[in-house]
Amino acid sequence: MGKIALLGIFLIAVLIFPVYENSKIYIPSKKNIKNKIAIANMKNGVFEIYETNLSKKGKFEILDIFDKSYVAKNLDIKDILKKENYFAKKAIFRNKILKAYFFKYNSPKYDFVSDFVVYNLKTKNIRGNKFFLYSDEYNATGINFFVDKKRNIKANNISFNLKVKE
């Protein structure tokens, strides 16, 4: 009878041990997956946007697509119709708000550089931090700025350098 009890305990231990070992495997929660791992990751992408004719084209080094946001690195967009260029070292699009780090804007009239810019697609407002504005007629720098949808500009601590032609 003792041998049968020992055999029963041994069989139970052999059957329970694999279940115990498998329970120790770490299974990440959906919260961790949503925040850290992109659903899709694209590298060295090129895109073109057609509105009757080719209107915009661009490229990016990396585009990470998350559940409710997009993150692009070295995003470069050329608006062919308006002859404007946009560049962002890192751009994050979430909840109809675009945040761009080290942002550059080039047009035939002037060049604009800022270390951080936020564009709200709902209100069409742009705000940002330290900026530089270069033109043929003037140069300007400032600490922060705000541009509303009517293109009214408000900025703090602006310094201008006017270029006078002789």
Side-chain angles (χ1 to χ4, degrees):
M1 187 70 162
K3 290 181 183 180
I4 295 176
L6 219 71
L7 181 64
I9 292 173
F10 178 73
L11 287 174
I12 291 173
V14 168
L15 294 173
I16 291 178
F17 183 73
V19 173
Y20 172 73
E21 283 297 314
N22 285 337
S23 69
K24 289 202 279 184
I25 296 174
Y26 174 71
I27 299 172
S29 68
K30 285 188 176 185
K31 195 176 223 182
N32 289 344
I33 291 173
K34 284 183 183 177
N35 291 334
K36 296 183 181 179
I37 301 172
I39 295 170
N41 180 288
M42 296 179 225
K43 294 183 180 179
N44 299 325
V46 177
F47 61 90
E48 296 174 342
I49 299 173
Y50 290 88
E51 299 165 337
T52 309
N53 292 322
L54 179 65
S55 63
K56 293 177 186 77
K57 65 180 183 175
K59 61 184 179 178
F60 53 86
E61 186 177 313
I62 296 173
L63 176 65
D64 292 328
I65 301 171
F66 293 91
D67 190 27
K68 295 183 180 180
S69 64
Y70 303 92
V71 177
K73 293 183 181 164
N74 294 330
L75 179 64
D76 190 12
I77 301 171
K78 295 179 186 350
D79 190 330
I80 295 169
L81 300 176
K82 295 180 182 177
K83 297 180 182 174
E84 298 173 336
N85 297 335
Y86 306 90
F87 174 81
K89 189 77 173 167
K90 182 178 180 181
I92 301 170
F93 181 72
R94 180 182 304 131
N95 298 330
K96 295 194 178 189
I97 294 177
L98 177 68
K99 295 179 182 178
Y101 298 88
F102 190 71
F103 177 77
K104 290 182 183 179
Y105 168 79
N106 299 333
S107 74
K109 295 180 181 177
Y110 61 89
D111 296 337
F112 176 81
V113 178
S114 179
D115 59 351
F116 180 70
V117 173
V118 176
Y119 177 64
N120 189 330
L121 270 68
K122 292 178 188 175
T123 62
K124 307 288 188 211
N125 294 336
I126 304 168
R127 64 179 172 84
N129 293 342
K130 185 177 172 183
F131 68 92
F132 300 95
L133 188 62
Y134 305 103
S135 170
D136 292 339
E137 300 170 0
Y138 59 87
N139 290 340
T141 62
I143 300 231
N144 56 32
F145 66 95
F146 177 80
V147 181
D148 65 10
K149 65 181 176 183
K150 295 180 182 177
R151 298 294 179 227
N152 297 320
I153 301 171
K154 297 176 186 175
N156 292 330
N157 294 342
I158 301 172
S159 65
F160 279 99
N161 294 326
L162 296 175
K163 298 178 183 177
V164 180
K165 295 180 183 176
E166 293 182 25

